[in-house]
Amino acid sequence: MQKGKFIVIEGLDGSGKGTQIKLLCQRLKDAGIKIYPTFEPTSGKIGVLIREALSGKFKVTQNTIGLMFSADRTEHNTEIQKALDDGCCVICDRYYYSTIAYQGRGSEEQFLWTCALNLNNSGIRKPDLCVFLDVNPDICMDRIDTNRDKKEIYEKADILREVRSEYQKLFDYMKNIGRNENITVIPSDGEKNEISDKLFDAVYKTIVDKA
Ligand code: TMP
């Protein structure tokens, strides 16, 4: 029986997601909540292979990497389930929304295929909350240009713009098909502490919700 809540944080590369997750985890700990922070791609065997592909070390097609992310996630679910059963709140940096937004780009067929791989997979559980930190892709790209020596394959302005539209398309799609997902979009171009307050509020509300 799941005792903890499963929370996912999503955002574009360069959105400040990592910083916000660190702040969130600290605040949840301070509030006495037992948390289990985790991330995708994972540090497991498939996740390590994915990181190599993201760095450009070897080339893979969009479909192959989509399958790799989904396989990594299926393995990750055993770890997530255990943490939830132990009564922890799992805070996961990226989940299936990323696969659909990044690998579902290009065509309707591609989008629906990535949805099917993840949303109709009994080995991939549905989160209790997904928060999307919505940052203008140009701001993300500026941060990436300033902070990274080496860029990963998706860290390009045109790709980030496409990915942002895909996230929006996915959230609309989920509503339209009546899929019961709990999604909160936080406009996150602004001040770090204000974003952190909004993120904490959304997550805390879900954690204390007994339903
Ligand atoms: P990170 O910057 O959050 O560590 O994410 C690594 C990259 O992997 C980022 O460019 C997004 C990408 N990604 C996908 O394309 N599909 C996925 O399913 C996941 C989890 C990440």
Side-chain angles (χ1 to χ4, degrees), residues 24-40:
L24 172 69
C25 288
Q26 191 54 56
R27 291 177 74 162
L28 291 171
K29 273 192 219 157
D30 292 346
I33 291 161
K34 206 166 118 191
I35 57 161
Y36 185 87
T38 188
F39 53 87
E40 295 188 0

PDB file of all heavy atoms in Angstrom, residues 24-40:
ATOM      1  N   LEU A  24      13.337  23.037  -2.459  1.00  0.00           N
ATOM      2  CA  LEU A  24      12.111  22.337  -2.058  1.00  0.00           C
ATOM      3  C   LEU A  24      12.422  21.230  -1.056  1.00  0.00           C
ATOM      4  O   LEU A  24      11.757  21.107  -0.017  1.00  0.00           O
ATOM      5  CB  LEU A  24      11.429  21.745  -3.304  1.00  0.00           C
ATOM      6  CG  LEU A  24      10.246  20.828  -3.026  1.00  0.00           C
ATOM      7  CD1 LEU A  24       9.067  21.623  -2.464  1.00  0.00           C
ATOM      8  CD2 LEU A  24       9.808  20.089  -4.293  1.00  0.00           C
ATOM      9  N   CYS A  25      13.427  20.419  -1.365  1.00  0.00           N
ATOM     10  CA  CYS A  25      13.757  19.280  -0.490  1.00  0.00           C
ATOM     11  C   CYS A  25      14.162  19.787   0.895  1.00  0.00           C
ATOM     12  O   CYS A  25      13.746  19.215   1.907  1.00  0.00           O
ATOM     13  CB  CYS A  25      14.866  18.432  -1.116  1.00  0.00           C
ATOM     14  SG  CYS A  25      14.261  17.505  -2.537  1.00  0.00           S
ATOM     15  N   GLN A  26      14.933  20.860   0.935  1.00  0.00           N
ATOM     16  CA  GLN A  26      15.348  21.409   2.228  1.00  0.00           C
ATOM     17  C   GLN A  26      14.127  21.868   3.032  1.00  0.00           C
ATOM     18  O   GLN A  26      13.999  21.595   4.218  1.00  0.00           O
ATOM     19  CB  GLN A  26      16.336  22.565   2.008  1.00  0.00           C
ATOM     20  CG  GLN A  26      17.025  23.025   3.289  1.00  0.00           C
ATOM     21  CD  GLN A  26      17.718  21.874   4.043  1.00  0.00           C
ATOM     22  OE1 GLN A  26      18.555  21.178   3.476  1.00  0.00           O
ATOM     23  NE2 GLN A  26      17.337  21.642   5.309  1.00  0.00           N
ATOM     24  N   ARG A  27      13.206  22.556   2.341  1.00  0.00           N
ATOM     25  CA  ARG A  27      12.024  23.073   3.036  1.00  0.00           C
ATOM     26  C   ARG A  27      11.128  21.944   3.536  1.00  0.00           C
ATOM     27  O   ARG A  27      10.537  22.024   4.612  1.00  0.00           O
ATOM     28  CB  ARG A  27      11.250  24.026   2.111  1.00  0.00           C
ATOM     29  CG  ARG A  27      12.017  25.310   1.863  1.00  0.00           C
ATOM     30  CD  ARG A  27      11.296  26.214   0.910  1.00  0.00           C
ATOM     31  NE  ARG A  27      10.148  26.855   1.531  1.00  0.00           N
ATOM     32  CZ  ARG A  27       9.562  27.941   1.046  1.00  0.00           C
ATOM     33  NH1 ARG A  27      10.024  28.512  -0.055  1.00  0.00           N
ATOM     34  NH2 ARG A  27       8.522  28.466   1.643  1.00  0.00           N
ATOM     35  N   LEU A  28      11.016  20.888   2.741  1.00  0.00           N
ATOM     36  CA  LEU A  28      10.184  19.748   3.163  1.00  0.00           C
ATOM     37  C   LEU A  28      10.814  19.062   4.372  1.00  0.00           C
ATOM     38  O   LEU A  28      10.116  18.712   5.329  1.00  0.00           O
ATOM     39  CB  LEU A  28      10.009  18.753   2.006  1.00  0.00           C
ATOM     40  CG  LEU A  28       9.154  19.249   0.837  1.00  0.00           C
ATOM     41  CD1 LEU A  28       9.225  18.272  -0.336  1.00  0.00           C
ATOM     42  CD2 LEU A  28       7.691  19.450   1.252  1.00  0.00           C
ATOM     43  N   LYS A  29      12.150  18.913   4.339  1.00  0.00           N
ATOM     44  CA  LYS A  29      12.849  18.311   5.491  1.00  0.00           C
ATOM     45  C   LYS A  29      12.623  19.161   6.733  1.00  0.00           C
ATOM     46  O   LYS A  29      12.324  18.652   7.804  1.00  0.00           O
ATOM     47  CB  LYS A  29      14.351  18.232   5.214  1.00  0.00           C
ATOM     48  CG  LYS A  29      14.760  16.983   4.480  1.00  0.00           C
ATOM     49  CD  LYS A  29      16.285  16.864   4.524  1.00  0.00           C
ATOM     50  CE  LYS A  29      16.816  16.351   3.213  1.00  0.00           C
ATOM     51  NZ  LYS A  29      18.191  16.688   2.954  1.00  0.00           N
ATOM     52  N   ASP A  30      12.763  20.484   6.572  1.00  0.00           N
ATOM     53  CA  ASP A  30      12.568  21.402   7.705  1.00  0.00           C
ATOM     54  C   ASP A  30      11.143  21.293   8.262  1.00  0.00           C
ATOM     55  O   ASP A  30      10.913  21.533   9.443  1.00  0.00           O
ATOM     56  CB  ASP A  30      12.837  22.857   7.289  1.00  0.00           C
ATOM     57  CG  ASP A  30      14.311  23.099   6.970  1.00  0.00           C
ATOM     58  OD1 ASP A  30      15.142  22.233   7.327  1.00  0.00           O
ATOM     59  OD2 ASP A  30      14.634  24.140   6.361  1.00  0.00           O
ATOM     60  N   ALA A  31      10.204  20.946   7.375  1.00  0.00           N
ATOM     61  CA  ALA A  31       8.804  20.815   7.815  1.00  0.00           C
ATOM     62  C   ALA A  31       8.539  19.427   8.408  1.00  0.00           C
ATOM     63  O   ALA A  31       7.396  19.086   8.726  1.00  0.00           O
ATOM     64  CB  ALA A  31       7.868  21.079   6.635  1.00  0.00           C
ATOM     65  N   GLY A  32       9.594  18.616   8.509  1.00  0.00           N
ATOM     66  CA  GLY A  32       9.475  17.300   9.151  1.00  0.00           C
ATOM     67  C   GLY A  32       8.940  16.210   8.231  1.00  0.00           C
ATOM     68  O   GLY A  32       8.481  15.168   8.702  1.00  0.00           O
ATOM     69  N   ILE A  33       9.018  16.447   6.931  1.00  0.00           N
ATOM     70  CA  ILE A  33       8.501  15.442   5.984  1.00  0.00           C
ATOM     71  C   ILE A  33       9.643  14.532   5.519  1.00  0.00           C
ATOM     72  O   ILE A  33      10.728  15.016   5.183  1.00  0.00           O
ATOM     73  CB  ILE A  33       7.800  16.147   4.808  1.00  0.00           C
ATOM     74  CG1 ILE A  33       6.524  16.790   5.338  1.00  0.00           C
ATOM     75  CG2 ILE A  33       7.477  15.179   3.676  1.00  0.00           C
ATOM     76  CD1 ILE A  33       5.968  17.853   4.483  1.00  0.00           C
ATOM     77  N   LYS A  34       9.354  13.235   5.553  1.00  0.00           N
ATOM     78  CA  LYS A  34      10.364  12.253   5.141  1.00  0.00           C
ATOM     79  C   LYS A  34      10.362  12.203   3.610  1.00  0.00           C
ATOM     80  O   LYS A  34       9.341  11.846   3.001  1.00  0.00           O
ATOM     81  CB  LYS A  34       9.950  10.891   5.716  1.00  0.00           C
ATOM     82  CG  LYS A  34      11.081   9.932   5.949  1.00  0.00           C
ATOM     83  CD  LYS A  34      10.587   8.774   6.828  1.00  0.00           C
ATOM     84  CE  LYS A  34      10.676   7.462   6.103  1.00  0.00           C
ATOM     85  NZ  LYS A  34      10.035   6.335   6.715  1.00  0.00           N
ATOM     86  N   ILE A  35      11.485  12.582   3.014  1.00  0.00           N
ATOM     87  CA  ILE A  35      11.486  12.634   1.541  1.00  0.00           C
ATOM     88  C   ILE A  35      12.509  11.661   0.946  1.00  0.00           C
ATOM     89  O   ILE A  35      13.475  11.271   1.597  1.00  0.00           O
ATOM     90  CB  ILE A  35      11.778  14.058   1.004  1.00  0.00           C
ATOM     91  CG1 ILE A  35      13.115  14.584   1.540  1.00  0.00           C
ATOM     92  CG2 ILE A  35      10.648  15.006   1.309  1.00  0.00           C
ATOM     93  CD1 ILE A  35      13.647  15.735   0.719  1.00  0.00           C
ATOM     94  N   TYR A  36      12.245  11.325  -0.315  1.00  0.00           N
ATOM     95  CA  TYR A  36      13.167  10.482  -1.078  1.00  0.00           C
ATOM     96  C   TYR A  36      13.392  11.187  -2.420  1.00  0.00           C
ATOM     97  O   TYR A  36      12.585  11.064  -3.332  1.00  0.00           O
ATOM     98  CB  TYR A  36      12.553   9.085  -1.283  1.00  0.00           C
ATOM     99  CG  TYR A  36      13.482   8.105  -1.950  1.00  0.00           C
ATOM    100  CD1 TYR A  36      14.368   7.344  -1.203  1.00  0.00           C
ATOM    101  CD2 TYR A  36      13.490   7.957  -3.338  1.00  0.00           C
ATOM    102  CE1 TYR A  36      15.238   6.456  -1.818  1.00  0.00           C
ATOM    103  CE2 TYR A  36      14.356   7.070  -3.956  1.00  0.00           C
ATOM    104  CZ  TYR A  36      15.219   6.316  -3.192  1.00  0.00           C
ATOM    105  OH  TYR A  36      16.085   5.435  -3.808  1.00  0.00           O
ATOM    106  N   PRO A  37      14.491  11.982  -2.516  1.00  0.00           N
ATOM    107  CA  PRO A  37      14.737  12.677  -3.785  1.00  0.00           C
ATOM    108  C   PRO A  37      15.319  11.705  -4.815  1.00  0.00           C
ATOM    109  O   PRO A  37      16.167  10.890  -4.479  1.00  0.00           O
ATOM    110  CB  PRO A  37      15.786  13.748  -3.417  1.00  0.00           C
ATOM    111  CG  PRO A  37      16.032  13.621  -1.954  1.00  0.00           C
ATOM    112  CD  PRO A  37      15.507  12.289  -1.512  1.00  0.00           C
ATOM    113  N   THR A  38      14.862  11.812  -6.028  1.00  0.00           N
ATOM    114  CA  THR A  38      15.387  10.950  -7.088  1.00  0.00           C
ATOM    115  C   THR A  38      15.277  11.666  -8.437  1.00  0.00           C
ATOM    116  O   THR A  38      14.745  12.779  -8.500  1.00  0.00           O
ATOM    117  CB  THR A  38      14.668   9.578  -7.066  1.00  0.00           C
ATOM    118  OG1 THR A  38      15.308   8.693  -7.978  1.00  0.00           O
ATOM    119  CG2 THR A  38      13.188   9.680  -7.406  1.00  0.00           C
ATOM    120  N   PHE A  39      15.791  11.056  -9.478  1.00  0.00           N
ATOM    121  CA  PHE A  39      15.837  11.776 -10.775  1.00  0.00           C
ATOM    122  C   PHE A  39      15.892  10.807 -11.950  1.00  0.00           C
ATOM    123  O   PHE A  39      16.231   9.632 -11.779  1.00  0.00           O
ATOM    124  CB  PHE A  39      17.074  12.704 -10.817  1.00  0.00           C
ATOM    125  CG  PHE A  39      18.369  12.000 -10.496  1.00  0.00           C
ATOM    126  CD1 PHE A  39      19.102  11.371 -11.484  1.00  0.00           C
ATOM    127  CD2 PHE A  39      18.841  11.932  -9.184  1.00  0.00           C
ATOM    128  CE1 PHE A  39      20.282  10.695 -11.188  1.00  0.00           C
ATOM    129  CE2 PHE A  39      20.019  11.259  -8.869  1.00  0.00           C
ATOM    130  CZ  PHE A  39      20.740  10.633  -9.873  1.00  0.00           C
ATOM    131  N   GLU A  40      15.540  11.335 -13.116  1.00  0.00           N
ATOM    132  CA  GLU A  40      15.677  10.598 -14.381  1.00  0.00           C
ATOM    133  C   GLU A  40      16.378  11.496 -15.396  1.00  0.00           C
ATOM    134  O   GLU A  40      16.110  12.699 -15.395  1.00  0.00           O
ATOM    135  CB  GLU A  40      14.305  10.191 -14.908  1.00  0.00           C
ATOM    136  CG  GLU A  40      13.602   9.204 -13.982  1.00  0.00           C
ATOM    137  CD  GLU A  40      12.320   8.635 -14.570  1.00  0.00           C
ATOM    138  OE1 GLU A  40      11.954   8.994 -15.705  1.00  0.00           O
ATOM    139  OE2 GLU A  40      11.682   7.838 -13.877  1.00  0.00           O
TER     140      GLU A  40
END
